[in-house]
Amino acid sequence: SKEEEYVIRFLMVARSAATLAHPNLVGVFDIVHQDSTVFFSMEHMQGGSLGEIAMTEKVLDPAVVTAHLVQACQGLEYIHKKGFVHRDIKPANLMLDETGTLKIGDFGIALRSTQGKAERIIGSPHFMSPEQARGLPIDARSDLYSLGCTAFRLLSGMPPYVGASMEAVLMAHVQQKPPSFKAVKGLNVRVAAALDPLLAKSPDERWGSAGILGEKLEEAMKAPRLARRRLRH
């Protein structure tokens, strides 16, 4: 709170988050800047985060993950239409309330899409898009890539890329061939087909919006049971 620039950014982000109201976003209730104290109050997410659940269960049930992803798409579609890019979609920021509803939280590094790119590379390396890792301008499709990395971690037990250092992980996002969801055991083949484009290096090869991805996932979940066979490597 002694750093004026940080306080200004904190208040800006908090006020932006407070303007966003959607069933799949964590709500911000109040923002206070009094003397040297700066804080905001937010909705309590009693169910914790998918990141916390993944730490104990390692691999989550594919049907449950798919349902959560659909809700995440609904939240992302809303913030993208409002002109924001979240920039830090990961299991720890996908949270559950007491009813089990998934909500996106932590808008600490959210960026208005009209800003083009951030002043520096910040985010979570294991879930960062290639363009974000390279410091290039980003848009909503960067969040879709991060959602794809999140899905891969929840479904397989590992992020799509690992490395000995942050730099190695970021280079893998940029250079290495992406893994396929079709190799994830027990995953609906149509769900896998809907998720695979998310890890494309080029934003143009991903789905155009979170809304489109959500529709594809919902269609896949309604597919005949024949498509829900267990896959082999």
Side-chain angles (χ1 to χ4, degrees), residues 98-201:
E98 67 277 5
T99 69
T101 298
L102 182 135
K103 302 191 179 192
I104 301 171
D106 194 353
F107 288 82
I109 63 171
L111 185 76
R112 279 203 173 274
S113 55
T114 52
Q115 290 176 260
K117 65 177 181 178
E119 66 282 358
R120 62 187 186 278
I121 299 174
I122 52 178
S124 302
H126 287 105
F127 306 96
M128 191 181 294
S129 70
E131 60 270 27
Q132 188 175 350
R134 296 171 63 191
L136 299 176
I138 61 174
D139 58 24
R141 296 169 297 179
S142 178
D143 281 345
L144 293 185
Y145 182 94
S146 298
L147 186 64
C149 293
T150 295
F152 197 87
R153 164 62 185 88
L154 298 174
L155 292 166
S156 72
M158 293 288 291
Y161 304 107
V162 295
S165 66
M166 179 182 73
E167 290 77 11
V169 173
L170 294 180
M171 287 302 295
H173 282 291
V174 174
Q175 297 180 345
Q176 288 187 19
K177 180 180 179 180
S180 174
F181 283 90
K182 294 181 176 66
V184 177
K185 293 182 178 180
L187 184 62
N188 179 326
V189 292
R190 297 195 183 189
V191 170
L195 294 176
D196 266 344
L198 298 183
L199 298 183
K201 303 299 183 187

